[in-house]
Amino acid sequence: MKVYISPNPGKAQANEIALRAAQILQTHGAEVLMQDTLQAECSAMGVQYLSQKECLKRTDVILTIGGDGTILHEANLSLMYQKPILGINLGRCGFLATCEVNEMESKLAAVARGEYLLDSRMLLYVHVLGDNSWEGHALNDVVVTKGRLQQAIDFSIYCDDTLVEHYRGDGVIVATPTGSTAYSLAAGGPILDSRTKGIVVTPICPHSLSSPAMVFAQERKINICVGQVADDEVFVSCDGAAGYSLQTGATAEVRLSDQIVQLITFSGADQFQAIDQKLRSRR
């Protein structure tokens, strides 16, 4: 078993946890890979330091150390390699991470033995119609949002080219079941079982008393058409990454991606345990 450890450089404890994880994995017979750029500050005996590309090509499992953002970032980088991801949570919530720091010993030993489950998560694919220069994939959500706080924007939502809703507000979130517990939930959207094959469309601060979130089948194509806006004041983004500017009349097309992300889990009920332990505790 080869495990590529990818710590978030922005987390104070990440390198320390990475070294502890490497030691546990090696003790249980796993080979450990890390990026060569980390060798000076995160050096350990027996670890192979390689380029990021080589790490992703050779590994069997990706181990991220950080929060959900770290998992989302690594998922996007590793799409073409299709390697399962396990997150060790150093974030505030870590909803996607199925290993807490105090669980490392037992869960990393299980990973080294290959004793884990794979949870396949759907992705969304988005591109701007008529513009071949930008496209993206999202494990959590595709968001179209305004740039200026004081400006409301008009959005028209089409499903398979049929108009289904018109919003005036701050933006629109198109979320996967995975992302239904993230920004979409905060905006009033429903929580979907991660095994549900659906797409959630949730308005952000709509200027209406009746603009509910909507759930569409995964086979649907969702188009978000932008109304009159000032130049460079509306953006589309995937999983919180840097946005791409949309002009007046632009249409962002969102549909099911032909790729998936596999998350490592240890129980079929991990999502519901996370809802109970991580979301309810934040009341």
Side-chain angles (χ1 to χ4, degrees), residues 40-168:
E41 58 193 77
C42 200
S43 181
M45 290 288 293
V47 174
Q48 298 180 54
Y49 294 91
L50 306 167
S51 69
Q52 182 184 65
K53 182 178 180 180
E54 283 300 310
C55 286
L56 290 171
K57 284 174 60 177
R58 298 188 189 189
T59 194
D60 298 306
V61 166
I62 299 170
L63 179 65
T64 66
I65 300 175
D68 283 350
T70 310
I71 294 175
L72 294 172
H73 178 72
E74 200 66 46
N76 187 269
L77 287 176
S78 62
L79 271 183
M80 67 179 292
Y81 300 98
Q82 289 293 296
K83 303 299 175 68
I85 300 172
L86 171 64
I88 295 178
N89 181 34
L90 293 184
R92 294 182 60 191
C93 183
F95 195 82
L96 299 178
T98 53
C99 181
E100 300 297 321
V101 172
N102 62 3
E103 299 176 311
M104 286 172 54
E105 191 73 44
S106 61
K107 289 189 173 180
L108 293 186
V111 168
R113 296 191 299 268
E115 297 174 357
Y116 54 81
L117 304 173
L118 292 179
D119 186 4
S120 296
R121 300 294 182 95
M122 62 175 277
L123 295 171
L124 295 175
Y125 169 78
V126 58
H127 73 284
V128 179
L129 296 184
D131 187 343
N132 296 322
S133 64
W134 186 88
E135 63 181 7
H137 293 265
L139 175 58
N140 260 0
D141 47 41
V142 174
V143 177
V144 176
T145 187
K146 63 181 186 175
R148 291 188 296 174
L149 292 177
Q150 68 271 29
Q151 183 186 34
I153 303 296
D154 289 309
F155 300 90
S156 295
I157 308 299
Y158 291 80
C159 175
D160 292 344
D161 300 320
T162 298
L163 178 66
V164 294
E165 186 60 274
H166 178 82
Y167 299 125
R168 181 168 178 79

Side-chain angles (χ1 to χ4, degrees), residues 253-275:
E253 181 182 282
V254 185
R255 56 178 170 80
L256 180 69
S257 171
D258 57 4
Q259 301 190 69
I260 61 168
V261 168
Q262 291 185 314
L263 301 180
I264 287 179
T265 184
F266 301 92
S267 164
D270 273 350
Q271 182 196 22
F272 305 108
Q273 291 170 357
I275 290 171

